Amino acid sequence: MQTPKIAVVGSINMDLVTSSPRFPQPGETLLGTSFRRFMGGKGANQAVAAARLGADVGMVGAVGNDGFGSEALENLKREGIDIAGVRVLEDAPTGMANITVAEGDNHIIVVSGANFGITPGHIEACEKQIAAADVVLAQLEIPMECVIAAAKLAHKHGKPFVLNPAPAQKLPAELLDLVTLLTPNAHELAISLGLPENTPAEELIARAPCPVLMTRGSEGALYNDGQGALHRQGGFKVTPVDTTGAGDTFNGAFAVFRAEGMETAVRKANAAAALSVTKAGAQGGMPVSAELEAFLAAQKP
Ligand code: RIB
């Protein structure tokens, strides 16, 4: 397979992660069990997931001119990611995420900082990276007008635009028209389309104006093929340590393997996401190619 070129347009955060035996109630103080810092941000996570699996990745985004920003840039460079499209902003801090891990799940509050300091002009200045990519991957932790600018450039250059609509918000029709593939979970798809959250997954997918690949955690994924048929693919059971970044791993891996066809790409993305939750931190468990292949080979047919 030719090395896929992926442009990731999105956020870069420092994750401040507290582990706790359970989630606190409003107004309650709990004693936690650990505190750690990890690199994060949905954009950076997806870029790292793709780079570990052998893709040639370029990141478009922003950090602040501070310690977290320098660490984030060093981390991206260490992972072999091209950071020419990442700006260092003087007037905003690096984005941070306050994460509580408990009960096999997580709660996340993101303070966007520099991620919301970027403008459509910044995205347009990265047209070369987008034009050179095989796939353009974006999420919703940067301003909506920047996501639209990236989608327009991808469209202009005939590049597939894969949008992971997280964190969820109602998506403008103008953006949905430009999306090649939307990769939400069920909750995110309902919000993206402005439909009630109890709408069945199949109905949500049928009502989307663009192709959808819906992630369902360890249950796998559901996707439509643009001709009305719905496909289901099972996931992989593992013992989770930290589920943060599982969706990002799925998206990064899917972008890498997209050219191998939906069935293979979804299977590999599910496997990469399963492996990612077996270690702490959003990027901690993201597999390299050999780990992914070994995991898949060890599965029963
Ligand atoms: O998807 C997980 C990510 O969401 C975390 O790394 C955090 O930074 C938030 O952006």
Side-chain angles (χ1 to χ4, degrees):
M1 190 179 76
Q2 240 196 328
T3 304
K5 269 177 154 307
I6 299 171
V8 181
V9 182
S11 59
I12 303 168
N13 292 336
M14 176 63 75
D15 290 353
L16 306 179
V17 184
T18 306
S19 297
S20 164
R22 63 177 173 80
F23 292 109
Q25 298 296 318
E28 183 186 16
T29 300
L30 275 183
L31 295 182
T33 50
S34 72
F35 170 75
R36 294 173 75 182
R37 287 199 295 126
F38 294 104
M39 303 316 309
K42 294 185 191 302
N45 292 344
Q46 295 183 16
V48 169
R52 288 213 187 142
L53 292 169
D56 179 350
V57 183
M59 177 86 210
V60 176
V63 294
N65 186 6
D66 50 29
F68 285 175
S70 314
E71 282 186 56
L73 291 181
E74 275 313 307
N75 178 58
L76 292 171
K77 279 198 274 183
R78 213 173 23 245
E79 297 285 350
I81 294 165
D82 178 5
I83 56 166
V86 180
R87 286 206 182 163
V88 179
L89 304 183
E90 292 300 330
D91 51 357
T94 298
M96 68 77 87
N98 196 335
I99 302 182
T100 307
V101 175
E103 304 170 35
D105 210 335
N106 61 47
H107 284 173
I108 305 182
I109 298 174
V110 173
V111 181
S112 300
N115 295 308
F116 263 65
I118 58 172
T119 61
H122 171 195
I123 308 296
E124 279 146 22
C126 297
E127 180 164 357
K128 253 201 349 221
Q129 280 100 319
I130 290 176
D134 297 312
V135 182
V136 181
L137 199 50
Q139 322 75 30
L140 300 178
E141 283 186 337
I142 58 172
M144 181 57 79
E145 61 268 28
C146 293
V147 178
I148 294 173
K152 282 184 177 161
L153 284 177
H155 185 73
K156 174 176 167 191
H157 293 281
K159 304 297 175 171
F161 183 73
V162 178
L163 178 63
N164 175 221
Q169 58 177 283
K170 188 166 185 319
L171 299 179
E174 179 191 13
L175 177 60
L176 283 165
D177 280 349
L178 296 166
V179 169
T180 310
L181 184 68
L182 198 63
T183 62
N185 59 29
H187 154 86
E188 289 159 354
L189 184 55
I191 295 177
S192 297
L193 303 178
L195 293 169
E197 287 208 37
N198 59 1
T199 310
E202 294 76 4
E203 187 184 334
L204 287 171
I205 294 176
R207 291 180 65 177
C210 59
V212 174
L213 164 56
M214 180 189 281
T215 55
R216 314 190 93 193
S218 61
E219 300 300 308
L222 261 182
Y223 58 92
N224 58 2
D225 60 6
Q227 270 125 45
L230 193 63
H231 301 265
R232 264 166 228 281
Q233 200 153 318
F236 298 91
K237 298 270 185 262
V238 291
T239 306
V241 171
D242 180 357
T243 57
T244 312
D248 299 330
T249 309
F250 180 96
N251 277 277
F254 174 80
V256 175
F257 300 115
R258 183 179 176 273
E260 296 182 25
M262 280 305 273
E263 196 179 330
T264 304
V266 172
R267 178 171 160 79
K268 290 187 175 180
N270 272 330
L275 281 169
S276 79
V277 307
T278 60
K279 293 192 187 145
Q283 298 172 14
M286 288 175 179
V288 295
S289 303
E291 289 167 325
L292 180 65
E293 292 310 327
F295 178 78
L296 284 166
Q299 302 304 311
K300 291 198 187 85

